[in-house]
Amino acid sequence: MGEKREKVAVIIGPTAVGKTKLSIEVAKRLNGEIISGDSMQIYRHMDIGTAKVKPEEMDGIPHYMIDIKNPTDSFSTAEFQYLVREHIHDISKRGKLPIIVGGTGLYIQSVLFDYQFSETRGDEVFRRELEQLVEEEGAQAVFAKLEAIDSASAERIHPNNVRRVIRALEIYHTTGKTMTEGLETQENNLLYDIALVGLTMDRTKLYDRINYRVDLMMEEGLFEEVKQLYDNGIKDCQSIQAIGYKELYEYFEQKTTLQDAVEALKTNSRRYAKRQLTWFRNKMDVTWFDVTDEEKKEEILQYIEGKLQL
């Protein structure tokens, strides 16, 4: 019981706030290695739209949980939890500091705290009713039920991933709690010694940065990246729910103009950033650093060193 807990630094914050650049500086100074805490950077061939760190930007720092799945693969919070904990243990064992960097709050929280993904007992009759509904009215009919009771799960699960949609509804039916509530009401027992750093900035400046980054992504070839996935027949899967991909798919399916698709991408990115900030502030005990007007690298380094007693 007296075994020392592994130390973990965590850098979170909304999209486009500057987490990637800072995390590499921190890793270089504190002998660290980086674990991506982003639910979409796990997919191969989805580089520009997920703002994946470029090899030349890594500056020799190893990065994990990037390019580990094909776009057609599904991926769960439980799998993320297992893999990241393995990386934390391996990095720590080699005398390095694991640094989790990202913006997918529930994924990161599931790693740091003692979350149990126990299998809830099913209800076969209820499941068959839902399967019948899919046959009669289509996948969207059951997905609408999930959106109505658990919008957070609906954001993570693709409407056509019928098995997972039904499973989420079954959990609510048998327990009275949504899948999301089931996770959030678990005991918040930390498994590691953590320094949890949050980056924030003036909302207007952040939104300007997001808009600029979308324009830059288009210049760097986001259109071509998404078109290749579309042309390869990669549809109706979890990965394409990612912001930057679903909007351009609307264009390829001739449901909107390219200009409107890009505007939707910017709008959805801004809304996502707002949701990220709200989630982190409500769910985790974060030490925030406002990086609106100046670099806080030294201050953040000192905070992590002091908190983890490095």
Side-chain angles (χ1 to χ4, degrees):
M1 290 297 289
E3 191 177 331
K4 273 180 72 176
R5 294 197 299 186
E6 291 161 330
K7 299 175 191 287
V8 180
V10 186
I11 300 171
I12 54 131
T15 186
V17 79
K19 298 183 296 292
T20 299
K21 183 169 180 268
L22 175 77
S23 66
I24 289 164
E25 290 296 317
V26 170
K28 282 158 65 178
R29 290 276 290 274
L30 301 182
N31 191 27
E33 297 186 355
I34 293 171
I35 302 168
S36 168
D38 186 288
S39 63
M40 290 298 168
Q41 292 186 355
I42 60 165
Y43 292 110
R44 301 180 190 100
H45 317 301
M46 295 176 65
D47 303 333
I48 299 169
T50 64
K52 218 174 270 178
V53 60
K54 298 180 178 79
E56 62 270 23
E57 293 171 336
M58 292 182 184
D59 212 358
I61 301 296
H63 283 65
Y64 304 94
M65 297 300 289
I66 293 174
D67 293 339
I68 63 169
K69 293 277 182 181
N70 290 321
T72 48
D73 295 336
S74 61
F75 193 66
S76 68
T77 317
E79 189 175 355
F80 180 86
Q81 179 195 67
Y82 172 78
L83 292 172
V84 171
R85 286 180 180 174
E86 290 284 298
H87 285 306
I88 289 172
H89 184 61
D90 177 61
I91 294 166
S92 301
K93 203 168 60 178
R94 290 185 283 105
K96 306 266 188 180
L97 176 67
I99 305 168
I100 301 175
V101 183
T104 308
L106 184 61
Y107 275 41
I108 294 171
Q109 197 176 30
S110 77
V111 170
L112 302 176
F113 295 92
D114 190 18
Y115 277 18
Q116 307 292 327
F117 292 94
S118 57
E119 279 301 312
T120 309
R121 196 169 43 81
D123 182 328
E124 204 168 319
V125 174
F126 180 73
R127 193 183 320 137
R128 282 180 183 159
E129 284 174 10
L130 293 176
E131 287 167 352
Q132 184 72 25
L133 182 61
V134 172
E135 283 179 30
E136 291 171 1
E137 298 182 30
Q140 192 59 42
V142 288
F143 187 72
K145 286 180 177 289
L146 181 61
E147 282 184 310
I149 61 150
D150 188 3
S151 58
S153 287
E155 280 195 19
R156 295 193 302 272
I157 302 171
H158 192 278
N160 289 351
N161 192 339
V162 173
R163 185 181 61 80
R164 283 191 72 201
V165 172
I166 289 177
R167 182 64 186 142
L169 288 167
E170 204 176 0
I171 287 170
Y172 180 69
H173 176 74
T174 54
T175 67
K177 283 184 181 177
T178 65
M179 192 187 284
T180 306
E181 285 171 336
L183 288 174
E184 290 177 354
T185 55
Q186 293 196 48
E187 287 296 312
N188 273 2
N189 296 321
L190 268 172
L191 299 181
Y192 305 98
D193 282 337
I194 68 167
L196 183 50
V197 168
L199 305 185
T200 186
M201 66 168 51
D202 171 75
R203 187 69 58 90
T204 304
K205 184 173 180 181
L206 178 65
Y207 285 177
D208 286 345
R209 282 172 65 109
I210 289 169
N211 292 338
Y212 172 73
R213 184 157 84 166
V214 170
D215 290 335
L216 197 59
M217 284 175 170
M218 291 299 288
E219 285 176 26
E220 289 179 345
L222 178 62
F223 181 92
E224 291 77 11
E225 178 174 280
V226 182
K227 183 77 160 61
Q228 189 162 11
L229 294 168
Y230 183 81
D231 290 345
N232 287 340
I234 295 167
K235 298 181 178 72
D236 300 331
C237 49
Q238 190 176 337
S239 62
I240 303 306
Q241 285 294 91
I243 295 169
Y245 297 84
K246 61 184 178 183
E247 294 85 2
L248 287 174
Y249 264 55
E250 292 273 297
Y251 168 71
F252 297 134
E253 290 166 356
Q254 300 182 322
K255 294 176 181 174
T256 188
T257 65
L258 181 57
Q259 185 179 349
D260 285 348
V262 173
E263 281 308 309
L265 202 172
K266 290 177 180 178
T267 301
N268 290 337
S269 296
R270 293 193 301 268
R271 285 177 181 158
Y272 178 57
K274 189 178 178 183
R275 287 199 308 275
Q276 284 175 303
L277 280 166
T278 302
W279 199 97
F280 288 128
R281 285 185 173 131
N282 290 342
K283 307 293 184 190
M284 298 173 89
D285 185 17
V286 181
T287 299
W288 291 97
F289 293 85
D290 190 320
V291 293
T292 302
D293 298 316
E294 58 182 303
E295 197 179 69
K296 297 284 177 71
K297 182 177 68 182
E298 291 304 322
E299 202 179 320
I300 290 168
L301 280 163
Q302 286 174 21
Y303 170 76
I304 294 172
E305 284 179 312
K307 183 77 173 169
L308 297 179
Q309 297 181 328
L310 297 173

